[in-house]
Amino acid sequence: MSQRPARRTRSGARHLALFLAHWAGGHTVSNEELFRRIIKQRAEAHQEALEEHRRLVLKAHKKATKLHRIAEEDGGLTPAAKAELKAATKEAERHTAALRALGEFTVPALDPGQVRHRRRRIAAARCAVLAAPAAGITAATVAGAWWTGPTAAVLGVLTSWARGPQAFDLTVRPVPADLIAETPMVLAVPGAAPAPAVAAGLPSVPPMPTNAPATAGATPAKTGTAAEGGQDLVLALSKALGACRVIPRGTRVTLLAAPEVTAERWTAMVRLPDDTGATVDHVVAARKNLGGELGLDRARLHVEQVAGADDKTLRVSGFTTDPFARPRLCTAEMLGGVDVWEQGIPVAFDAFGRLLYLRLRDVSILLGGSSRSGKGAVLRLIIAGCLLDTRVRLHLADGKHPGQYRWSLLADSYIYDPDKRAKQLAKRLEALVAEMGERAGRLAAVGVESLAERPDLVGTDGLTLEVVVVDEVSAFTLDAKYGKRITKALIELAARGLAFGIVLILATQLSTAGVLDRLITSNIVWRWCMYATGADESNTILGKGMAGRGYSAHLLDPEQRGSGLLLAEGRISTVRSLWLDGDDMTAVQDMIRALRAKPATTATPPVPAQAPVPAPSPDPAEEEADWSVLDGWLEQAAPPVPGPAAVPAGALQRLRALDVIRQAGPDGIKRAALAEAVGAPATTVGGWLKEWTGQGVIEALGSPPHTRYAATDGRQ
């Protein structure tokens, strides 16, 4: 062996020996961790003693109470019972005194020798682990396997040569976060290094100067340096990423701009080092461990890829409090004058408080989550925004009636009846599929293939935005009779409907496999997953493998309803939906009624006899029902007089009631809802319904008290 390989082997053997000695001696465990483990053990023993004394006190009191009750009932106790009562009383007093003596647990002043003793115990266990292979080799050699010793020696030499002059980083592992959480009473650690200075207002984030300028677009510095004021942050992030094995230890991230620091958060835009294989996805997958290294929990650490940059450039932010802890209201003013095509509907906010708008331009949505996770809040905002834009025709299928019943009289169609809803939705979707051919012809006539190419055509005749909202889609797709028809129509609409202004909004609870066909989900642009019970359920919405990349909704806080992961435009963001309720909800519904109310039809003044007007010829395509009875009502209410005819309010209410019944479609409407819509007493409306039913103008559906009334010319 030449001199150079021999020197390399000796150097590697020395480094290996130092590392093994460092590890076997227990020096990878800090004094603080040993101190906290001793305190934890003593605190647990103290708590066990308290619980045992409390148990014995309750047992003694229970026995004494029983004997006292016997004495009251029998007028006294036997000598043996008196002795038992005396013993129980003394037992209770003794354990009560013990509880008083124990008191609250306080952190003791430990002798440094106790910490050394704990380290020696760790060293003894580790030395036993190291000795096990040597003992095995010796036993094998004695047993006759003579080659085991030389083989082990050769492996040792090769390992030493491979290590060479590269020294190990003899570090001390950080104190586990769960141990710190379990020992909050430990305020000072004997022998621990002093904590580094922390920026004002940020007690739990890496040190950062508070006067760092927030200059965007700073020139990147060389690896190992940072922009002015960010050296400490670069060092903290690099060490944390190295500890989480995202980047190799000893390498550093590059700070691309001066960090932003406020009393609520700090933000830094950095780039991961080259030739390491690390990307943003690796940082996201290690976010929980990374937060622990930085002194934050998962909810207060935010990681996102910088838009338009490569996969190594990311923005890291630390918050003093959870940015999604407090819900945010959506006011009626925020929804006023909404434009669903250009501006969008405000539906959520991100960690930085920025509003997220949903534009229904080439966008369909798949919304999932467990029960009570906040899907209804999102649907409420989407439905309200659609109804506030007159270019939208809303078709609402309610699979968990009365979940969306508040919109039943405002939507263009409302499907809810458990006995008929699957059939009605199948017909509605198949009608929209057939309508796509007509819409394609209209667009082809103006030389375009998609409605997005001619935004000015949105809302024109034959090109209104048809928005289909299906709440709890499994109630429809899993229907034994009509489920396949619904799935087939949804596949067609998901694949081609967006080009013609037909938008799907589908919500599901993720509770059943096969709720939606893959051909449907693969063509849905937005996927929004609220809290889910497991990674598999989250993947059904966000896509296969997303949980493995660190994006899983089962890691969200289930108490934060509306919080979720949104996959939109190829990026995943953590957001929380806005909340619309109370007075704002009432105001929004009033706005919708005023916006979509049809003007009441007034009576036509009678024509004088001296100037007769020939009656128009009937159109064979007009309604099949005989609506001439209305003329009789109006003639009786408005006799011929000079000037405009005076129509009584009752006639207008009757006319408005018939109009509402016709708008309700084949599902019909109940008497109470009709009375509320026209502002007439329920008894009066009941008389009208009885009269119109007898005349054949309307028909009664179902039996009391669930009877609904539908126009006879509105059958499908």
Side-chain angles (χ1 to χ4, degrees):
M1 183 180 291
S2 64
Q3 185 66 18
R4 179 175 293 179
R7 187 184 302 114
R8 177 184 177 91
T9 303
R10 287 195 299 270
S11 177
R14 183 170 59 254
H15 291 318
L16 286 172
L18 288 175
F19 173 76
L20 291 176
H22 179 76
W23 179 82
H27 300 293
T28 57
V29 184
S30 64
N31 286 342
E32 179 182 357
E33 181 176 349
L34 295 174
F35 182 81
R36 286 183 179 272
R37 292 196 181 280
I38 295 173
I39 296 302
K40 177 186 176 184
Q41 184 179 8
R42 294 193 178 187
E44 291 174 348
H46 181 271
Q47 185 64 26
E48 290 177 0
L50 288 177
E51 293 176 355
E52 179 64 16
H53 284 298
R54 291 193 187 101
R55 186 185 67 81
L56 294 175
V57 166
L58 292 175
K59 181 180 178 181
H61 276 302
K62 184 177 180 181
K63 186 173 183 180
T65 302
K66 179 180 179 181
L67 292 173
H68 280 299
R69 186 176 67 252
I70 293 174
E72 292 177 359
E73 294 175 353
D74 298 343
L77 294 174
T78 62
K82 289 180 180 179
E84 291 181 5
L85 177 60
K86 184 177 180 180
T89 303
K90 288 185 177 181
E91 185 77 4
E93 292 175 353
R94 184 169 68 87
H95 290 294
T96 301
L99 286 172
R100 193 177 300 112
L102 286 173
E104 295 292 334
F105 177 77
T106 56
V107 179
L110 293 181
D111 186 345
Q114 294 176 319
V115 177
R116 289 195 298 271
H117 176 69
R118 179 61 69 94
R119 190 184 303 279
R120 292 189 186 117
R121 289 172 55 187
I122 296 175
R126 292 183 175 182
C127 287
V129 173
L130 289 179
I137 294 172
T138 303
T141 303
V142 173
W146 59 268
W147 48 268
T148 55
T151 302
V154 171
L155 289 176
V157 171
L158 292 177
T159 304
S160 300
W161 180 86
R163 188 64 192 180
Q166 185 178 1
F168 285 94
D169 189 8
L170 304 180
T171 59
V172 178
R173 72 185 186 190
V175 181
D178 56 348
L179 180 60
I180 296 176
E182 292 171 352
T183 55
M185 72 291 292
V186 178
L187 301 179
V189 180
V198 179
L202 298 175
S204 60
V205 298
M208 176 64 57
T210 56
N211 57 352
T215 306
T219 303
K222 295 182 180 180
T223 303
T225 65
E228 183 179 357
Q231 295 88 346
D232 293 335
L233 181 58
V234 168
L235 181 60
L237 286 175
S238 300
K239 285 186 175 180
L241 291 170
C244 298
R245 300 183 179 180
V246 176
I247 60 175
R249 290 180 182 270
T251 58
R252 287 194 178 188
V253 298
T254 303
L255 189 65
L256 300 180
E260 302 175 10
V261 181
T262 66
E264 294 79 20
R265 65 176 174 87
W266 57 264
T267 300
M269 185 168 64
V270 299
R271 191 176 190 278
L272 300 174
D274 294 327
D275 302 326
T276 60
T279 63
V280 177
D281 285 345
H282 293 96
V283 180
V284 173
R287 192 174 69 169
K288 182 178 181 180
N289 296 333
L290 180 63
E293 295 293 333
L294 295 174
L296 301 169
D297 55 25
R298 183 184 180 90
R300 293 189 292 133
L301 180 66
H302 185 75
V303 179
E304 64 177 0
Q305 183 176 352
V306 176
D310 59 11
D311 287 342
K312 285 182 173 289
T313 305
L314 66 152
R315 184 177 288 106
V316 185
S317 302
F319 296 82
T320 55
T321 59
D322 186 354
F324 298 110
R326 299 183 60 183
R328 187 168 174 179
L329 298 179
C330 178
T331 63
E333 289 76 12
M334 294 170 63
L335 290 172
V338 65
D339 181 351
V340 301
W341 187 263
E342 295 292 342
Q343 174 192 358
I345 308 168
V347 292
F349 64 97
D350 65 5
F352 302 96
R354 299 170 298 196
L355 284 179
L356 175 70
Y357 289 82
L358 168 62
R359 296 190 304 174
L360 298 183
R361 183 171 59 186
D362 292 341
V363 170
S364 290
I365 305 176
L366 175 58
L367 183 64
S370 63
S371 178
R372 311 302 298 165
S373 60
K375 301 186 299 297
V378 180
L379 289 178
R380 186 181 303 178
L381 292 165
I382 296 175
I383 292 172
C386 290
L387 291 174
L388 285 170
D389 193 326
T390 55
R391 298 171 299 176
V392 175
R393 284 173 47 85
L394 182 68
H395 309 284
L396 180 54
D398 193 352
K400 53 180 183 180
H401 181 75
Q404 306 298 339
Y405 185 72
R406 60 166 56 90
W407 311 106
S408 59
L409 297 179
L410 302 175
D412 290 272
S413 64
Y414 178 67
I415 298 171
Y416 76 95
D417 189 347
D419 297 330
K420 302 178 181 178
R421 62 190 180 193
K423 177 181 179 181
Q424 293 171 350
L425 180 61
K427 289 185 176 181
R428 179 66 64 183
L429 296 178
E430 288 168 352
L432 291 175
V433 171
E435 188 178 331
M436 285 195 297
E438 301 177 6
R439 290 174 172 248
R442 292 176 182 272
L443 294 176
V446 294
V448 297
E449 297 179 357
S450 171
L451 198 57
E453 300 178 42
R454 287 289 302 273
D456 57 298
L457 297 178
V458 177
T460 59
D461 185 27
L463 292 174
T464 56
L465 285 177
E466 303 288 334
V467 179
V468 181
V469 178
V470 184
D471 190 5
E472 196 44 63
V473 68
S474 62
F476 301 93
T477 57
L478 299 181
D479 184 79
K481 187 174 181 180
Y482 297 98
K484 292 184 178 180
R485 287 175 56 185
I486 293 174
T487 299
K488 181 180 178 181
L490 288 176
I491 291 174
E492 289 286 336
L493 294 175
R496 302 189 295 120
L498 290 178
F500 309 123
I502 301 176
V503 180
L504 297 179
I505 313 291
L506 309 178
T508 177
Q509 283 190 4
L510 311 173
S511 57
T512 307
V515 170
L516 285 173
D517 190 278
R518 184 179 59 85
L519 295 176
I520 300 175
T521 57
S522 61
N523 284 304
I524 292 183
V525 182
W526 272 36
R527 301 185 184 187
W528 193 343
C529 188
M530 307 291 186
Y531 172 76
T533 55
D536 292 338
E537 287 77 9
S538 178
N539 283 344
T540 60
I541 296 298
L542 299 178
K544 186 177 180 180
M546 283 297 182
R549 293 173 54 188
Y551 302 105
S552 181
H554 82 282
L555 300 175
L556 300 172
D557 185 356
E559 299 298 325
Q560 289 183 2
R561 294 183 180 176
S563 294
L565 298 177
L566 174 63
L567 173 59
E569 299 176 357
R571 299 178 57 194
I572 293 186
S573 306
T574 304
V575 297
R576 186 174 186 182
S577 66
L578 300 174
W579 182 250
L580 176 63
D581 203 358
D583 294 339
D584 290 302
M585 169 64 78
T586 303
V588 166
Q589 289 182 318
D590 290 341
M591 292 163 54
I592 295 172
R593 293 189 185 97
L595 188 66
R596 292 185 171 254
K598 296 182 178 180
T601 305
T602 57
T604 304
V607 181
Q610 62 272 22
V613 178
S617 58
D619 188 349
E622 291 294 331
E623 301 106 345
E624 299 177 0
D626 181 13
W627 291 88
S628 59
V629 65
L630 297 180
D631 298 333
W633 297 334
L634 298 179
E635 290 174 1
Q636 296 174 7
V641 293
V647 182
L652 291 179
Q653 285 183 328
R654 290 165 65 101
L655 191 59
R656 174 60 178 157
L658 279 170
D659 191 28
V660 170
I661 292 174
R662 298 186 69 186
Q663 292 181 25
D667 297 332
I669 186 172
K670 287 187 177 182
R671 185 184 68 173
L674 180 62
E676 180 182 359
V678 301
T683 54
T684 303
V685 173
W688 298 343
L689 295 174
K690 183 177 180 181
E691 179 182 352
W692 297 335
T693 303
Q695 296 171 347
V697 176
I698 64 175
E699 63 178 345
L701 307 176
S703 58
H706 306 292
T707 305
R708 305 178 70 85
Y709 298 90
T712 54
D713 67 335
R715 300 171 182 151
Q716 293 186 353

